[in-house]
Amino acid sequence: MRHSCFFTAISIALFGISGCKMADTGPVAFNPATNVSPTFLTFDLENTDRAPDNLEHTRFWDFYQGLEPTGNNATDEDRETANEIRAHIDKFIRATRTPDGKNYEKVRNPLDLINQVIAFNEIDNFREGRRYISQRIAAGQAGNYSNRANGALIRFTDQNAVLNDASLNDKLWVYPTLDWRYLPKGPEDSDLDEKVYRTVQYVSRSVATEEAEAQPELISLLAGSRFDANSFVTSGYNIPEFATADYLSRNYGSIELRQEFIRDKIDTLFIKSADKPVLDLSRHGITLSDTSPDCLRVELDYVGSVLRVFHSNEQPAKIKDPASEDPDATIKNPAYCGNQVDSEAAISWTAKGAFWRQ
């Protein structure tokens, strides 16, 4: 896939593993992360008088409305498929749709909430963390804010959910990882100097078997963003260059959204749900041996205003390289949905897109 070093860098920032090898970044000062345990009136996010554009900063805002079929060639089949894509996303971000069904007016999920909390500077330690990263940028020295590294707890409580005796994971959200990492020098053989990486991880709390069905669908999420250090700010929202978010549910598999805000300007949604059908491709004349393929890729090209859907089943991302004598050598499998080229899309339509992403 595109920009694989960026997505590998998220793992590096979180776990310190190798992949796209990071260069020596010099001395690192102290890590200011401490325990954070605020209580909010509610975890619900919607536009308010205080923040009339609140929802515009949620992770799926552009993609959710931008995939809408448009123009004279838009068909009922396309609209039905667009609705199925949104319905599947709803399960992970707990979206409440607008009356026309083409956007949402409320969401409730850990990623959008912590993004808003950070942007609004509501938490002293998060504010201190961003100031610290900004100071390291000014000094040209690597820096890291990480609650995981310090053993610090991030725990959000929903007051209304507590008063209503909601399920454990509806009233308590715990984040094992909030990590900002400034790297003056990026991976070797790359142009990724002067970048800030941020990682957010949420994991639901374990409950007794008899309480499992009462819990929200979301089990965990892992999200990463890359920012230009030279435009990094300590208040409001930092605009990412790239972002990824992987959501895992109890009953509906997982989804992963990859967003590119520079160069290609493409959002790609991977749907991994081998057990339950998500999209009815038969309405587009597509016959499948399995109505629930294990890989669906929905790609929204903002520059071209085109939505494409790709699918594959039981196809690995990589296969043995037939041209190599090395038994361990591999190449990308062109049949895998993530590797298929634009002309191989099973479905495509002219999409509404978003003018600010063009």
Side-chain angles (χ1 to χ4, degrees):
M1 292 302 293
R2 300 176 179 92
H3 308 291
S4 59
C5 269
F6 160 67
F7 298 109
T8 302
I10 298 303
S11 295
I12 294 172
L14 180 55
F15 300 111
I17 63 174
S18 62
C20 298
K21 297 179 181 177
M22 292 294 181
D24 182 8
T25 53
V28 178
F30 75 100
N31 173 5
T34 59
N35 290 337
V36 171
S37 187
T39 296
F40 301 94
L41 180 63
T42 179
F43 289 161
D44 293 347
L45 297 182
E46 52 192 329
N47 291 336
T48 65
D49 291 340
R50 178 190 173 194
D53 61 348
N54 209 19
L55 293 176
E56 293 180 16
H57 299 285
T58 54
R59 185 55 55 99
F60 274 93
W61 181 258
D62 293 347
F63 185 82
Y64 199 96
Q65 60 184 319
L67 60 83
E68 178 66 16
T70 188
N72 295 330
N73 294 326
T75 67
D76 289 341
E77 290 77 13
D78 294 340
R79 296 186 187 95
E80 290 174 17
T81 299
N83 184 62
E84 286 180 338
I85 295 169
R86 294 191 183 106
H88 195 61
I89 294 170
D90 291 345
K91 295 177 174 65
F92 295 84
I93 66 171
R94 296 177 72 179
T96 300
R97 303 253 199 122
T98 53
D100 65 7
K102 299 177 183 178
N103 206 348
Y104 49 76
E105 57 190 14
K106 183 190 297 184
V107 294
R108 182 183 177 89
N109 66 83
L111 180 57
D112 287 330
L113 178 63
I114 198 170
N115 282 344
Q116 184 204 71
V117 170
I118 292 169
F120 284 9
N121 277 337
E122 295 178 341
I123 305 297
D124 289 341
N125 188 248
F126 293 173
R127 184 165 59 247
E128 181 182 353
R130 285 210 285 180
R131 282 201 303 262
Y132 164 66
I133 293 297
S134 182
Q135 291 166 358
R136 300 303 286 177
I137 293 171
Q141 296 181 322
N144 182 213
Y145 169 103
S146 172
N147 72 307
R148 175 187 287 266
N150 277 2
L153 176 70
I154 296 177
R155 170 187 171 123
F156 290 176
T157 301
D158 182 319
Q159 178 178 300
N160 284 346
V162 171
L163 293 175
N164 292 326
D165 195 26
S167 64
L168 175 63
N169 289 294
D170 219 8
K171 61 189 177 186
L172 175 66
W173 289 352
V174 176
Y175 299 82
T177 304
L178 173 60
D179 183 298
W180 279 285
R181 188 171 299 252
Y182 165 57
L183 297 174
K185 300 294 291 184
E188 296 174 0
D189 302 320
S190 80
D191 59 354
L192 299 183
D193 294 348
E194 297 296 323
K195 303 299 179 185
V196 175
Y197 296 89
R198 194 195 69 182
T199 305
V200 173
Q201 183 188 33
Y202 159 82
V203 177
S204 63
R205 302 295 85 193
S206 298
V207 297
T209 303
E210 60 269 20
E211 299 176 18
E213 286 304 313
Q215 306 303 312
E217 270 299 325
L218 189 66
I219 293 176
S220 66
L221 74 85
L222 178 64
S225 305
R226 193 190 88 193
F227 309 96
D228 178 5
N230 295 314
S231 59
F232 186 79
V233 297
T234 57
S235 64
Y237 289 92
N238 278 288
I239 306 302
E241 296 180 333
F242 298 93
T244 181
D246 201 326
Y247 305 75
L248 177 65
S249 72
R250 290 188 296 112
N251 297 303
Y252 298 97
S254 66
I255 60 173
E256 179 187 3
L257 180 67
R258 295 185 176 189
Q259 298 177 287
E260 307 182 22
F261 295 89
I262 57 176
R263 293 197 289 270
D264 293 324
K265 297 183 181 179
I266 290 174
D267 283 358
T268 304
L269 178 69
F270 286 92
I271 298 173
K272 308 163 206 176
S273 179
D275 296 332
K276 293 182 174 67
V278 176
L279 304 182
D280 182 3
L281 302 183
S282 66
R283 71 166 62 97
H284 298 274
I286 299 169
T287 302
L288 300 175
S289 58
D290 187 333
T291 58
S292 181
D294 57 26
C295 184
L296 287 167
R297 170 178 144 221
V298 183
E299 186 172 274
L300 178 55
D301 180 342
Y302 290 96
V303 175
S305 297
V306 178
L307 187 288
R308 302 182 181 92
V309 178
F310 305 82
H311 68 87
S312 64
N313 196 54
E314 297 183 353
Q315 292 287 344
K318 292 185 177 182
I319 56 176
K320 184 181 182 304
D321 184 356
S324 175
E325 296 181 359
D326 182 352
D328 296 324
T330 60
I331 58 173
K332 290 182 177 180
N333 178 9
Y336 173 65
C337 85
N339 298 331
Q340 292 170 13
V341 299
D342 291 351
S343 61
E344 296 177 299
I347 307 167
S348 66
W349 63 69
T350 301
K352 175 182 176 181
F355 71 88
W356 53 90
R357 294 286 298 275
Q358 295 179 336

